[in-house]
Amino acid sequence: MSSSAGSTVNGGVSFWYAQEGFPAPREPLGGDASADVVIVGGGYTGLWTAYYLKKAAPFLRVTVLEQKFCGYGASGRNGGWLYNGVAGRDRYARVHGHEAAVRLQRAMNDTVDEVIRAAGEEGIEADVHKGGVLEVARTPAQLARLKAFHAHELTYGEKDRELYDARRTAERIRVAGAVGSSWTPHGARIHPVKLVTGLARAVEALGVTLHESTPVTEIRPKHAVTPYGTVRAPYVLRCTEGFTASLKGQRRTWLPMNSSMVATEPLTPRQWEAIGWDGRETLGDMAHAYMYAQRTADGRIALGGRGVPYRFGSRTDNDGRTQEATVVALREILEGFFPALTGVRIEHAWSGVLGVPRDWCATVTLDRATGLGWAGGYVGSGVATANLAARTLRDLVQLDSGQGTRTDLTDLPWVDHKVRKWEPEPLRWLGVHGMYTTYRTADRRELTTHTPKSSRLAHLANRVAGRH
């Protein structure tokens, strides 16, 4: 088999939409309107928030405003990792104490099952397979990081996590050169678009008003402003993740980080026999510029990595098109992991953006003085985190409106976390590109030197990034 640029679909939002087709468009906002809660953004965070609010208080008038169509952003482009990672946990442990961070981690563990439960209850068939998450090490330095990572996770109460040597790793997935791995059961493979489109249908069936093709240009207390009119509501919730920078006054709030993916053609039974992967775990690695992958329900590999990490001025793409050099780089990762797939056809390539706060911490906030709320900054862990954030927003709105009391979720350490803005350009562009160039250089050095110590370059990049 061979691959050429002409045989690879590039863009079109994502492979997941190429499979499913685009949903029928919903009507844009028809003029000024009012609601009890207006949600800006029709991705996982916005839709789950609308879902849980209407479930808790069916009388609420909830309106969702989406600039393109529900699931246009990261919710329709991600790698389909429904797992228990949450951005910023270690920082929350330092600021709020270890036990507070343990509570956050337990909530994330439970969230994986909550998404599966809710999808099942709503009849959403999203190709869910709960095979856990396997993260592999392929160099001595990666193995040292893996063992430290595994031990660190155990301190947050993850007693069901398992550490494998090279032989046991190969029994799960035969990754070339793998010397060890860590597996957690708290993860599942999903089809991102099947989940988001099913969730949009479920939300609409509950009586939520969804307006698509309605870009919000400004959010201010009790107002969501669009070219078609303004929606007024006591609560305005910003759920825009990687597209937050397009809102007035938000250019430096969260950085829109690009992530790129490829999907192969369906593999043959012989190819799967060479790879293994019968457990359909989601697959990641311990490189500094890491990869992530899944075995899809129809027998492909969908694999992603950072590609071109950031566009100057916090710009975002339109249709998900990614650079040919990124496609080549992702193919090299695929074939490096699985030499039996050398020459396999890459059927689709695409990109999307995720939201990165300056301190790399996911947050949920409701300002009780203004009624403005927001959730996001998931740094690539949003498939599950968005659900926990949405339930937390629900509880905060109910608490503020007198319909509820404090809950375990409103007391989690990520609630009302404050973070400084990103630097202005060109410092922002130089910093992000320098960081990922350094990470890739560190990975190459570790691969060639076989040293068990992590590259000092990576430590430097982490400090500059503010990740520790």
Side-chain angles (χ1 to χ4, degrees):
M1 285 182 255
S2 63
S3 172
S4 67
S7 64
T8 300
V9 177
N10 194 331
V13 182
S14 73
F15 162 75
W16 312 115
Y17 277 114
Q19 269 200 320
E20 287 299 290
F22 293 112
R26 296 176 174 89
E27 290 297 316
L29 181 67
D32 291 345
S34 64
D36 297 312
V37 180
V38 59
I39 296 168
V40 181
Y44 291 144
T45 305
L47 293 174
W48 278 125
T49 302
Y51 176 82
Y52 288 112
L53 279 169
K54 285 293 278 187
K55 282 282 194 177
F59 57 85
L60 284 177
R61 296 174 303 143
V62 180
T63 295
V64 176
L65 304 175
E66 163 56 41
Q67 68 161 337
K68 298 282 189 175
F69 55 82
C70 290
Y72 172 78
S75 300
R77 310 190 196 194
N78 63 81
W81 274 46
L82 176 70
Y83 86 119
N84 66 339
V86 57
R89 183 195 61 189
D90 289 351
R91 188 180 295 270
Y92 289 130
R94 291 195 297 272
V95 174
H96 298 277
H98 184 73
E99 183 51 40
V102 169
R103 288 190 287 108
L104 179 60
Q105 185 60 67
R106 285 180 184 146
M108 279 304 310
N109 296 349
D110 294 342
T111 294
V112 174
D113 292 324
E114 168 60 17
V115 172
I116 296 171
R117 181 205 67 77
E121 182 177 289
E122 297 301 331
I124 301 170
E125 176 45 64
D127 296 344
V128 177
H129 184 90
K130 193 181 179 189
V133 182
L134 187 75
E135 292 171 277
V136 301
R138 301 178 67 221
T139 68
Q142 286 187 22
L143 183 62
R145 286 198 296 276
L146 177 86
K147 290 178 177 178
F149 163 75
H150 179 87
H152 194 55
E153 294 306 294
L154 297 183
T155 69
Y156 286 98
E158 212 178 322
K159 303 305 182 189
D160 42 8
R161 178 175 282 275
E162 298 176 5
L163 184 66
Y164 300 142
D165 60 13
R167 181 183 61 80
R168 293 194 65 196
T169 299
E171 288 171 357
R172 282 188 172 268
I173 308 176
R174 286 185 280 281
V175 173
V179 290
S181 62
S182 179
W183 177 81
T184 176
H186 301 293
R189 177 221 51 208
I190 65 157
H191 188 298
V193 163
K194 289 182 178 180
L195 178 60
V196 75
T197 54
L199 183 55
R201 287 193 300 270
V203 161
E204 224 166 15
L206 290 172
V208 172
T209 300
L210 297 183
H211 288 301
E212 296 181 328
S213 300
T214 305
V216 172
T217 55
E218 182 182 1
I219 293 172
R220 56 179 188 262
K222 299 181 172 53
H223 296 76
V225 181
T226 86
Y228 303 110
T230 297
V231 182
R232 291 169 175 81
Y235 298 100
V236 183
L237 307 180
R238 188 187 81 220
C239 302
T240 47
E241 188 57 357
F243 290 88
T244 300
S246 64
L247 292 165
K248 183 178 180 180
Q250 303 294 334
R251 178 60 61 89
R252 292 164 55 196
T253 298
W254 290 335
L255 183 138
M257 183 83 75
N258 287 287
S259 203
S260 300
M261 292 198 69
V262 295
T264 69
E265 63 186 328
L267 303 187
T268 66
R270 180 175 291 182
Q271 286 169 324
W272 281 121
E273 188 179 343
I275 294 170
W277 212 342
D278 296 334
R280 291 164 175 75
E281 305 89 339
T282 57
L283 173 67
D285 74 350
M286 298 304 293
H288 300 293
Y290 52 84
M291 57 76 73
Y292 51 94
Q294 67 150 285
R295 176 176 176 169
T296 69
D298 65 341
R300 308 167 190 267
I301 293 178
L303 178 146
R306 278 295 174 264
V308 177
Y310 173 71
R311 289 181 172 87
F312 190 88
S314 292
R315 294 196 307 274
T316 55
D317 70 83
N318 290 319
D319 68 350
R321 187 169 181 83
T322 194
Q323 291 188 346
E324 183 60 29
T326 299
V327 181
V328 170
L330 292 175
R331 165 179 281 286
E332 288 173 354
I333 293 172
L334 175 72
E335 295 179 351
F337 270 58
F338 305 114
L341 301 186
T342 298
V344 73
R345 187 163 65 89
I346 300 297
E347 198 161 283
H348 206 119
W350 71 101
S351 294
V353 294
L354 48 101
V356 180
R358 189 62 184 87
D359 64 356
W360 302 72
C361 290
T363 57
V364 183
T365 297
L366 180 66
D367 186 335
R368 302 186 71 170
T370 63
L372 296 178
W374 55 90
Y378 305 133
V379 195
S381 301
V383 179
T385 314
N387 178 278
L388 179 60
R391 288 182 284 129
T392 306
L393 276 177
R394 170 203 61 192
D395 288 1
L396 289 170
V397 168
Q398 289 205 287
L399 172 64
D400 185 71
S401 62
Q403 297 167 10
T405 58
R406 297 194 72 83
T407 67
D408 290 344
L409 300 187
T410 61
D411 288 336
L412 289 174
W414 67 344
V415 173
D416 295 335
H417 175 71
K418 304 288 192 299
V419 59
R420 67 185 174 92
K421 291 182 180 294
W422 282 88
E423 291 81 359
E425 296 291 21
L427 295 176
R428 197 157 69 243
W429 188 92
L430 291 168
V432 175
H433 280 264
M435 176 181 70
Y436 274 97
T437 298
T438 304
Y439 283 146
R440 292 188 181 104
T441 302
D443 285 329
R444 285 194 297 272
R445 285 192 179 180
E446 291 176 4
L447 194 60
T448 55
T449 61
H450 301 290
T451 175
K453 289 186 178 181
S454 292
S455 170
R456 297 169 102 178
L457 286 172
H459 292 304
L460 174 64
N462 283 336
R463 284 201 297 274
V464 171
R467 298 180 78 163
H468 292 305

